[in-house]
Amino acid sequence: MYPSRFRYEAPRSLGEAFALLAEHGDEAKVLAGGQSLIPLVKLRFAAPAMLVDINGIPELAYHREDADGSLRIGALCRHADLERSPLLPGNHPTMAAAAPLVADPIVRTRGTLVGSLCHADPQGDWASVMLALNGEIIAQGPNGRRTIPAVDFVVGPFQNALHPGEIAVEARVPAARGTVSGSYLKLERRVGDFATAGVAVAIESVGGQVIRAGIGLTGVGAGNIKAVEAEQSLVGYTLDPDVIARAAELAAGAARPKTDHRGSAEYKRHVVATFVRRALSGYRAPVAA
Amino acid sequence: MSQALDEVKIGGLGASRQRVEDARFIRGRGNYVDDIVLPGMLHMEILRSPLAHARIKSIDTSKAWAIPGVRLVLTGEMAAQRNLAWMPTLSYDTQAVLATDKVRFQGQEVACVVADDPYIARDGVEAIVVEYEPLPPIVNPVQALAPDAPLIRDDKEGQTDNVCYRWEVGDAEATERAFAEADVVSKLKLHYPRSHPSPIECCGSVADYNSATGKLTVYMTTQAPHIIRAAVALVAELPEHMIRIISPDIGGGFGNKVPVYPGYVCSILCSILTGRPVKWIEDKTGNLVSTGFGRDMYLTGEMALRADGKILAVRFHADTDQGAFFSDAQPSKFKVGLLHSAFACYDVPHGHITAQGTYTNKAPGGVAYRCSFRVTEAMFFQERMVQAAADDLGMDQAEFRRINLREDDSFPARTPFGFLVDSGQYAKCLQMGLDAIGYEDFKREQAEARKRGRYLGIGISTMTEPLGAGNSREYDILGIKMFDSAELRVHPTGKAILRTGAKTQGQGHETTWAQIVSHELGIPADDIVVEEGDTDHAPFGMGTYASRSTPVAGAAVSMVSRKIRAKARKLAAHLLEVSEEDVEWELGRFYVRGAQSRGVTIQECAMAAYTNMPDGMEPGLENNAYYDPPNLTWPFACYIATVEIDPETGVWDVLRLVAVDDCGVRINPMVVEGQITGGLTEAYAMSNMQFQTYDAEGNIVGGNYMDYLLPTAWETPGFELHEVVTPCPHHPIGAKGVGECAAVGGPAAFVNAVMNAIGHTGVRNIDMPLLPDRVWDAIRTGKDISGAPPFRNA
């Protein structure tokens, strides 16, 4: 790869990183897993004058469950860490289903969940999962920390809500109540391809009755979509076929797909409905190696 | 008692010998073009057109020249001063090296920058300012032939439209008569989408012109170094003995590395102009958007049938989309390569083919992507047509093939298009495939599954294809006949070096050529080193493509070994003190007739050639052979796929793929199986996911690995391989080509299986790739899906 000339710094602490970002402002980009930024730099689609490599800041490499059951994912937690995590399969089925479907094994080894959210690619998988789970992003800057709901974090294609000088240090998934179920289903032409369409579904229920529902859509709009009406249509009901069919239809209605070389708009909308129905019916997607 | 060596133990024919080249490849010790570093070497990068069709109004290179470290900015105008702005193609057209008047496709070479390092070279490319006046782009043959279409090739004198060739073959009248007598006429129309060979190593060169000696050395990614030397001599007007082409380790070719590309020419010119070595290494997008693609052919045809299933005649028309320049890399005398090898495995009495090529504002090329020049399109159309005909007759697809396949005692047989097919056991291969897949059981399972809403399908593809260009009558490049060569030197201790005019790019010549020598001479394969690719060392040959290495260069290896054996026999007679007529050969040694224990080994003969030759005999034990094959070789293959479709999403999975390949005698079964596995993988990719297309503005879709998909081990199905051996009647060891069979014959098996699974919907055809949305759409609407995605029914 032959990018434009850039400076490279590898701070050893968040304090050093903030100082570098303050000094270089818009010219600086934070480098974590590099699975989105490096290709952009390689193709000269992006030409940051300064790369601030945060891989040497060990306190960002974690994911853990708090006592209340909420999940915290540090900025250096790799997709592969989540794929192999013992924390996910029981209490976080949507996360567990998505982790092995992100890109390919090579990307998953280096890429990070927080980095994927920051990159704000409309075809990113994690953003849909975070929308379905009502996740949050913790932004930290020289003046302290603030919490940004996932639904507000992406402000446009490849644009996030971070202020200059801030680093997204953590993603947080709030604790669920009741019985948890959910999945992430993704149609891709080949392993590692972006989703033709993807659906994240997260359900909390008590006694068979849905008390909270989350549905996020991938690859069917200018950004990841939170299918709010479909979510609301489930709350207070048991997941019988009519209820599921209605939610599937509403989710498909929320999709804004475009025809491209991955498939027609009509098809993508149909896949959204099919996947929402399957996810709500307990369909288990085959898990990639 | 015989003391002959065990052939498999010494690594001769039939030994699944480990590939000797892999030892360096898997240790990262290969030597590719990008590994070449010469003192004072500069780096070149190409500026490519962002537009598909535009007039160049001005090129301002001043900002690039101003960047420290930039040594040269080369434009078409400067190349024109050396008469190198244009170059001839292998299809007797011309192609722009650097655009001077117009750009004719997105990605076309416009200028290049030579700098101290590749980073600065790219900075320089970004600093060039080109002013374009956009022209309407043409992205398919229909647009190209419209009455008011803009003329793409206004550079060509006398060119008044966008037609680049017309061609026909066969007997139109006899075919017409056969159609008049038909009980049923079956029709089919399809598009074989544009694909790309996409070797993992892209193209590149290191050109080193030494102004003191006048010698030009070019390290380059070429499948045919000797042809390149001849071409450079003719195009650049340099004396041929002062040109040395070195093709080092090559990271895959698949036909992509046969043509001469502008980047090679520019690196040579830049080295001459700067007086320093110049390295050009193409990036992945550069390779995908500008170098030789494959296919992009529209086929429409029909088959005349008798009610009992006998094929009476076939006729079809092909429209080929050639892109901006007619630069098909093919050496035949025929305009559409060997398209007319279609239907060669069937007893078809009459046939007629017409073809027309058009210029479009797309990348030029039309290379033979892992096939012998348009054979892939031919066999795909053939096998899709055969399935359509069987369906129209209401006949079982296997039975229809049984009725029409050539019988074992019918060889040699002439096809209606002039080919001579010479050998095969077609019915046996088909039956072996049907037995392996459990054909009747599967059909029952399919019927049961259909009742429960599951969509299972089975598809067959049977074909023979002409491999091994050429013979010298019908095949040449720049007039040079399509022979090949081998040179063998046996050293005093009986070890040897073999050089051929071919060039391995992954085929494993370093392993398999030694096995042929071993078979002929009994020298253990491990004692033979194989070297190819350096025109100052190797004998003149035509290179490796079209599965021609084994049929042609491999035959030359046999023949040169036999010359060596003939001389060794004289040496043996001398050593054994008998007359030559009394000397017998068994593998590895000569012995006295009637006294088998009295003998000498081939190694003892080699030593004698340097130490103890008979009076009057020229010392040494080396020779060469040039081989001009009497015919092509005709391997046969039967591929049978079973699939299941998820009717809700259109996603289809391959359940099984059974392959029966008859490529004659197998030199190294493991290498052959590798070739078939690789070919089936590419076939699966074509049918399932792979294509290039262009939008209405002429922007390429499929110019990077995000959009142009290579299958991974995850989605590639497993393959079950079987073999039948019908030796080639004219090849010295009975071998036939094999490298391309599976990529050529495979796609139709997968597509036929999917079409079979949805046969009840009335859908006749979905054009490749069979992306899920297209399969879903066909099931839902009951209508055919044509054209490359995302555009429908174009």
Side-chain angles (χ1 to χ4, degrees):
Chain A
M1 60 175 267
Y2 301 102
S4 304
R5 183 173 292 273
F6 61 85
R7 270 187 63 196
Y8 170 88
E9 293 285 353
R12 309 304 292 186
S13 70
L14 271 175
E16 280 180 48
F18 292 134
L20 285 163
L21 292 178
E23 189 186 336
H24 295 277
D26 283 351
E27 295 285 279
K29 285 289 266 183
V30 173
L31 174 68
Q35 298 306 297
S36 303
L37 180 57
I38 295 296
L40 290 177
V41 167
K42 176 187 96 168
L43 296 168
R44 297 193 173 203
F45 291 160
M50 159 72 83
L51 287 189
V52 179
D53 181 349
I54 61 169
N55 283 284
I57 306 176
E59 64 258 39
L60 296 176
Y62 64 89
H63 71 284
R64 60 174 172 263
E65 205 174 49
D66 283 354
D68 70 346
S70 62
L71 192 65
R72 293 178 179 277
I73 298 141
L76 287 180
C77 174
R78 317 284 167 180
H79 308 301
D81 296 334
L82 296 169
E83 188 180 359
R84 294 173 199 140
S85 170
L87 295 178
L88 264 47
N91 295 335
H92 306 280
T94 310
M95 296 276 297
L101 296 180
V102 174
D104 58 43
I106 302 165
V107 170
R108 291 201 292 274
T109 299
R110 286 203 64 84
T112 65
L113 178 145
V114 173
S116 165
L117 296 176
C118 289
H119 182 53
D121 188 318
Q123 290 178 303
D125 297 300
W126 284 125
S128 292
V129 174
M130 285 310 212
L131 290 174
L133 293 169
N134 285 343
E136 299 162 336
I137 287 84
I138 313 297
Q140 189 175 344
N143 303 322
R145 291 159 78 98
R146 64 186 179 113
T147 301
I148 307 167
V151 71
D152 296 328
F153 186 68
V154 175
V155 296
F158 305 100
Q159 288 176 300
N160 62 44
L162 292 175
H163 296 151
E166 279 185 330
I167 295 175
V169 292
E170 184 183 278
R172 188 175 158 273
V173 178
R177 297 163 298 160
T179 306
V180 181
S181 64
S183 192
Y184 185 70
L185 300 180
K186 178 181 182 178
L187 191 116
E188 54 188 357
R189 296 176 299 171
R190 187 207 63 188
V191 89
D193 190 22
F194 287 109
T196 302
V199 168
V201 170
I203 300 294
E204 296 163 27
S205 56
V206 173
Q209 197 174 60
V210 175
I211 56 168
R212 199 196 78 78
I215 298 177
L217 311 180
T218 310
V220 288
N224 299 74
I225 292 169
K226 186 170 174 65
V228 178
E229 282 181 50
E231 293 174 341
Q232 287 168 351
S233 77
L234 294 166
V235 176
Y237 292 90
T238 54
L239 294 177
D240 62 48
D242 288 346
V243 170
I244 290 173
R246 186 176 57 190
E249 197 178 313
L250 286 168
R256 296 284 175 270
K258 281 192 174 152
T259 295
D260 63 15
H261 53 287
R262 290 191 176 82
S264 67
E266 199 178 7
Y267 175 72
K268 292 177 186 179
R269 206 182 283 280
H270 165 77
V271 172
V272 167
T274 304
F275 279 6
V276 168
R277 178 169 55 71
R278 286 180 177 181
L280 290 172
S281 311
Y283 177 90
R284 292 183 70 85
V287 174
Chain B
M1 186 189 133
S2 168
Q3 295 174 35
L5 298 171
D6 179 328
E7 173 149 6
V8 171
K9 274 191 188 153
I10 63 164
L13 283 194
S16 283
R17 184 176 179 235
Q18 295 282 304
R19 289 171 24 119
V20 296
E21 42 271 86
D22 289 350
R24 66 178 188 276
F25 292 151
I26 63 177
R27 290 177 173 89
R29 299 294 297 273
N31 184 41
Y32 298 90
V33 168
D34 202 14
D35 294 318
I36 306 291
V37 176
L38 300 178
M41 187 174 77
L42 299 171
H43 299 263
M44 186 187 97
E45 176 65 9
I46 294 172
L47 173 69
R48 298 182 181 282
S49 167
L51 301 175
H53 198 191
R55 198 160 296 287
I56 295 175
K57 293 180 76 178
S58 66
I59 302 179
D60 180 356
T61 60
S62 56
K63 287 197 179 71
W65 278 107
I67 296 172
V70 168
R71 302 291 168 174
L72 176 68
V73 184
L74 183 71
T75 61
E77 205 176 311
M78 292 160 69
Q81 288 166 13
R82 297 270 178 152
N83 205 20
L84 280 176
W86 292 82
M87 63 180 179
T89 74
L90 293 175
S91 290
Y92 303 94
D93 192 4
T94 50
Q95 173 173 359
V97 174
L98 292 175
T100 48
D101 51 344
K102 291 201 301 187
V103 289
R104 293 176 171 84
F105 67 95
Q106 185 183 57
Q108 187 179 342
E109 300 81 359
V110 174
C112 46
V113 175
V114 177
D116 289 349
D117 70 40
Y119 299 90
I120 299 171
R122 278 160 180 78
D123 293 344
V125 160
E126 286 188 340
I128 298 173
V129 180
V130 184
E131 200 185 344
Y132 294 103
E133 179 193 328
L135 299 167
I138 288 174
V139 296
N140 60 49
V142 174
Q143 290 177 357
L145 298 172
D148 56 345
L151 183 63
I152 296 172
R153 295 301 301 278
D154 52 354
D155 59 292
K156 282 170 76 95
E157 214 167 298
Q159 182 83 33
T160 57
D161 57 20
N162 292 316
V163 173
C164 88
Y165 72 84
R166 289 192 180 88
W167 192 70
E168 72 176 303
V169 65
D171 186 335
E173 282 174 28
T175 304
E176 178 58 39
R177 282 196 298 274
F179 270 85
E181 288 165 13
D183 297 321
V184 175
V185 172
S186 193
K187 295 175 192 294
L188 183 70
K189 179 183 169 199
L190 59 81
H191 176 228
Y192 202 124
R194 184 176 270 237
S195 64
H196 198 279
S198 188
I200 295 298
E201 179 201 32
C202 301
C203 297
S205 51
V206 178
D208 181 15
Y209 179 70
N210 186 322
S211 56
T213 63
K215 182 137 185 172
L216 173 70
T217 303
V218 188
Y219 301 84
M220 64 190 282
T221 49
T222 177
Q223 302 176 219
H226 302 272
I227 296 301
I228 298 290
R229 186 183 66 190
V232 170
L234 295 172
V235 175
E237 294 177 353
L238 290 166
E240 197 169 356
H241 68 298
M242 298 304 272
I243 303 165
R244 181 183 183 189
I245 306 296
I246 301 174
S247 186
D249 284 334
I250 299 294
F254 307 103
N256 185 246
K257 290 169 180 167
V258 177
V260 175
Y261 293 121
Y264 300 142
V265 178
C266 288
S267 70
I268 292 170
L269 182 54
C270 288
S271 180
I272 292 171
L273 292 173
T274 60
R276 290 169 63 175
V278 172
K279 176 185 274 188
W280 165 63
I281 300 294
E282 185 176 64
D283 62 18
K284 186 52 69 186
T285 291
N287 184 256
L288 285 168
V289 305
S290 74
T291 62
F293 66 93
R295 335 297 184 222
D296 211 349
M297 184 183 284
Y298 298 80
L299 290 145
T300 310
E302 51 189 356
M303 187 177 260
L305 298 152
R306 216 162 56 195
D308 64 0
K310 179 78 186 72
I311 302 171
L312 300 176
V314 62
R315 61 186 171 197
F316 62 96
H317 175 76
D319 278 307
T320 65
D321 181 334
Q322 299 293 153
F325 309 105
F326 186 26
S327 56
D328 274 24
Q330 65 110 344
S332 79
K333 298 216 179 298
F334 319 113
K335 283 288 180 193
V336 213
L338 307 187
L339 180 69
H340 55 308
S341 62
F343 300 97
C345 69
Y346 298 107
D347 177 22
V348 178
H350 305 289
H352 184 235
I353 301 172
T354 55
Q356 176 169 271
T358 48
Y359 291 116
T360 58
N361 292 117
K362 294 156 75 172
V367 300
Y369 166 19
R370 202 169 187 159
C371 83
S372 289
F373 328 116
R374 303 292 191 182
V375 165
T376 308
E377 295 95 312
M379 298 311 157
F380 184 72
F381 181 76
Q382 166 193 305
E383 287 308 294
R384 295 285 299 116
M385 183 83 244
V386 161
Q387 190 192 38
D391 288 349
D392 288 346
L393 288 166
M395 189 175 273
D396 177 83
Q397 54 180 328
E399 182 58 24
F400 180 70
R401 283 180 172 82
R402 258 188 222 112
I403 290 170
N404 288 292
L405 283 172
R406 292 187 190 281
E407 290 173 13
D408 297 359
D409 59 5
S410 68
F411 299 105
R414 188 68 68 176
T415 80
F417 307 116
F419 288 103
L420 190 72
V421 287
D422 56 20
S423 57
Q425 302 174 71
Y426 299 170
K428 181 179 175 183
C429 292
L430 174 63
Q431 193 56 48
M432 187 180 279
L434 294 171
D435 291 345
I437 203 91
Y439 188 61
E440 295 302 329
D441 287 347
F442 185 86
K443 289 209 305 186
R444 273 191 294 276
E445 191 188 334
Q446 179 183 30
E448 281 302 309
R450 182 69 47 79
K451 289 180 199 155
R452 298 192 303 277
R454 287 174 60 202
Y455 288 34
L456 303 187
I458 185 160
I460 303 175
S461 176
T462 46
M463 57 113 218
T464 186
E465 58 161 335
L467 293 185
N471 51 74
S472 62
R473 299 180 306 282
E474 290 169 325
Y475 304 89
D476 68 75
I477 293 178
L478 304 167
I480 300 170
K481 304 294 191 182
M482 295 295 288
F483 54 79
D484 224 292
S485 60
E487 178 206 84
L488 181 59
R489 297 180 180 184
V490 183
H491 309 315
T493 58
K495 319 291 182 189
I497 180 166
L498 175 84
R499 295 186 171 111
T500 86
K503 176 58 209 172
T504 189
Q505 317 123 39
Q507 291 86 348
H509 293 178
E510 291 171 50
T511 306
T512 53
W513 288 167
Q515 293 184 246
I516 297 176
V517 177
S518 197
H519 168 71
E520 297 288 352
L521 291 177
I523 298 176
D526 287 345
D527 290 352
I528 301 151
V529 67
V530 175
E531 197 183 270
E532 294 176 335
D534 183 337
T535 57
D536 269 8
H537 295 167
F540 196 102
M542 303 303 279
T544 292
Y545 38 87
S547 292
R548 68 184 300 276
S549 292
T550 291
V552 193
V557 173
S558 253
M559 301 315 276
V560 74
S561 301
R562 290 176 190 182
K563 288 183 182 180
I564 294 287
R565 197 168 72 206
K567 182 166 183 183
R569 179 186 296 274
K570 294 182 196 301
L571 288 156
H574 171 64
L575 293 174
L576 294 166
E577 297 178 331
V578 294
S579 76
E580 203 183 325
E581 293 71 44
D582 292 328
V583 172
E584 294 283 338
W585 168 255
E586 61 185 2
L587 192 64
R589 72 191 282 271
F590 295 96
Y591 61 88
V592 178
R593 181 180 301 139
Q596 204 160 4
S597 62
R598 262 192 73 206
V600 287
T601 64
I602 186 76
Q603 289 81 6
E604 287 165 334
C605 294
M607 185 57 82
Y610 298 88
T611 59
N612 179 21
M613 51 282 192
D615 287 346
M617 181 188 274
E618 191 180 349
L621 192 58
E622 61 182 67
N623 217 321
N624 59 32
Y626 279 71
Y627 189 80
D628 180 6
N631 191 9
L632 297 147
T633 69
W634 294 91
F636 183 81
C638 169
Y639 303 117
I640 306 180
T642 55
V643 301
E644 175 159 11
I645 301 175
D646 174 350
E648 276 190 335
T649 61
V651 171
W652 53 279
D653 289 316
V654 177
L655 303 173
R656 291 176 67 198
L657 186 291
V658 164
V660 182
D661 279 274
D662 179 357
C663 58
V665 172
R666 296 184 176 200
I667 300 164
N668 181 322
M670 179 195 71
V671 168
V672 170
E673 285 167 15
Q675 287 278 20
I676 294 166
T677 301
L680 286 170
T681 304
E682 287 182 301
Y684 169 70
M686 278 310 307
S687 68
N688 188 279
M689 64 180 79
Q690 209 164 63
F691 67 101
Q692 285 187 325
T693 189
Y694 289 73
D695 71 13
E697 281 74 50
N699 299 305
I700 188 165
V701 177
N704 57 56
Y705 273 171
M706 280 191 293
D707 295 328
Y708 192 74
L709 302 181
L710 305 191
T712 73
W714 177 250
E715 51 276 316
T716 304
F719 309 123
E720 302 164 41
L721 309 185
H722 301 265
E723 71 169 287
V724 167
V725 176
T726 311
C728 174
H730 60 78
H731 187 278
I733 56 170
K736 302 179 180 183
V738 70
E740 302 162 345
C741 296
V744 169
F750 295 111
V751 175
N752 281 347
V754 173
M755 300 314 299
N756 178 256
I758 62 170
H760 61 287
T761 62
V763 176
R764 261 179 103 72
N765 183 52
I766 305 174
D767 277 344
M768 293 192 293
L770 303 184
L771 290 173
D773 78 305
R774 295 154 75 84
V775 176
W776 171 77
D777 216 15
I779 293 171
R780 189 179 58 122
T781 62
K783 289 189 176 137
D784 288 7
I785 306 285
S786 330
F791 318 106
R792 298 291 174 75
N793 304 317

